Amino acid sequence: MKEKPALKVNGYLGILVSLLFIGLAAFLFLTTESVGSALVLPVILVIVAALILSGITIVQPNEAKVLTLFGTYVGVIREQGLWAAVPLTIKSRVSLRVINFNSDKLKVNDLEGNPIEIAAVVVYKVSDSAKATFDVEDYEEFVQIQSETGIRHIASQYAYDHFENETDMSLRKNSDEIADFLAQDLQNRLAVAGVDVIEARIMHLAYSSEVAAAMLQRQQAQAVLSARKVIVDGAVSLVKSAIEQLADEGVVELDDEKKAQMVNNLMVSIVSEKGTHPVINTGSIY
């Protein structure tokens, strides 16, 4: 059911007309000497004034009033202020303010089957108050349940982290992209309730307690291997540059055996985590 504007007039004008009808009814009642048919008009004026007053409603900023008359959807008032709407209508309040929803920590298996804990914050607002009122039972509860469903779905589509292939997307490294995917998924789920998702972002991500220690060791080992690779690559580059510079400038001529020994010594001194203690040869090179 789509939102449509309700018929309305200025509420102050409605109150003024009601007071005029009540005043006129009181005047006729006080000035009429006979009873019976002469009192019909004052009674009608009072009933009309009461009907007009039954349609008076106040709409706060960033709020909507959904109007129904005897079970029939009449329309929505979005403009703030005092309004006189269709008499005898039931006016349901719907907030149009931006709402934050913090999900609980959910335990989910990621793409690789590892149990993880994940939670997200969803920022949304109602864009269609008629859908939020009539198409779902309780739109706030609907948002909570569908948000948790969407978070579980997204978490199962990606791995927490990729150790072998660094180019694949993961929940830990690609947080911005995952947030965009989550927001789009939630928007598709919540459109039926007339809700617009402004932002959805993961606020908690961790391995479950039963695998956290093992995964931490794996991460540490991967970090050590990555650091070692950088050190070794740099050391190879430095050794190669040193040998080529010595050969180009003719400082010393080295045969293959001495080059191998020099490479070994330089690699050990550069790659070693502890300080090296060189042995100074004061004799010949051989």
Side-chain angles (χ1 to χ4, degrees):
M1 184 174 293
K2 294 184 178 180
E3 184 177 294
K4 64 179 182 181
L7 297 176
K8 64 184 185 302
V9 296
N10 188 283
Y12 297 102
L13 178 60
I15 294 176
L16 179 60
V17 172
S18 299
L19 293 177
L20 289 177
F21 283 176
I22 293 174
L24 180 58
F27 175 77
L28 293 176
F29 179 78
L30 294 175
T31 57
T32 301
E33 297 180 356
S34 61
V35 296
S37 60
L39 296 178
V40 173
L41 183 57
V43 172
I44 292 175
L45 291 175
V46 172
I47 293 176
V48 172
L51 289 174
I52 295 175
L53 290 175
S54 69
I56 298 296
T57 184
I58 298 175
V59 181
Q60 301 292 342
N62 281 329
E63 181 182 277
K65 290 291 183 68
V66 181
L67 278 58
T68 55
L69 178 63
F70 304 129
T72 302
Y73 170 54
V74 176
V76 176
I77 302 177
R78 275 180 170 261
E79 295 81 1
Q80 64 183 19
L82 182 66
W83 300 101
V86 178
L88 302 179
T89 52
I90 297 176
K91 306 165 186 67
S92 302
R93 174 187 175 275
V94 178
S95 175
L96 303 179
R97 297 177 175 89
V98 176
I99 303 174
N100 281 327
F101 164 64
N102 296 324
S103 72
D104 296 330
K105 293 181 181 179
L106 307 176
K107 189 174 181 179
V108 191
N109 289 334
D110 67 357
L111 182 63
E112 297 180 349
N114 298 316
I116 62 173
E117 292 180 352
I118 187 171
V121 57
V122 180
V123 183
Y124 70 95
K125 65 179 297 186
V126 174
S127 60
D128 192 317
S129 53
K131 286 185 176 182
T133 303
F134 300 115
D135 289 358
V136 293
E137 185 68 27
D138 185 337
Y139 77 89
E140 291 184 347
E141 182 180 359
F142 183 80
V143 168
Q144 294 178 8
I145 295 175
Q146 291 300 317
S147 296
E148 293 184 356
T149 303
I151 294 169
R152 290 181 180 274
H153 173 71
I154 291 296
S156 64
Q157 298 300 307
Y158 300 94
Y160 178 94
D161 204 353
H162 285 291
F163 297 98
E164 290 80 14
N165 192 350
E166 295 292 333
T167 60
D168 291 344
M169 291 187 62
S170 65
L171 297 172
R172 184 182 65 85
K173 291 197 310 179
N174 304 97
S175 58
D176 292 337
E177 292 85 349
I178 298 299
D180 294 337
F181 295 152
L182 177 59
Q184 184 60 46
D185 183 79
L186 293 180
Q187 183 60 65
N188 296 334
R189 296 173 182 272
L190 300 178
V192 66
V195 171
D196 283 345
V197 177
I198 300 175
E199 184 183 15
R201 186 168 295 275
I202 296 175
M203 66 175 183
H204 174 78
L205 182 64
Y207 284 110
S208 296
S209 56
E210 58 266 27
V211 298
M215 288 302 176
L216 179 59
Q217 291 179 353
R218 184 178 180 181
Q219 289 178 343
Q220 292 173 342
Q222 186 69 22
V224 170
L225 290 175
S226 299
R228 284 292 185 182
K229 185 178 183 301
V230 173
I231 294 174
V232 171
D233 290 344
V236 170
S237 177
L238 289 174
V239 171
K240 180 181 177 182
S241 176
I243 293 176
E244 290 178 351
Q245 187 174 356
L246 289 174
D248 293 341
E249 296 181 2
V251 176
V252 64
E253 293 183 2
L254 300 174
D255 55 19
D256 292 339
E257 182 181 353
K258 292 302 180 182
K259 285 182 180 180
Q261 185 178 358
M262 180 178 180
V263 169
N264 179 70
N265 294 337
L266 288 176
M267 289 293 294
V268 170
S269 63
I270 295 174
V271 175
S272 177
E273 294 183 355
K274 298 181 179 180
T276 57
H277 301 280
V279 177
I280 300 177
N281 184 8
T282 58
S284 67
I285 191 172
Y286 299 101

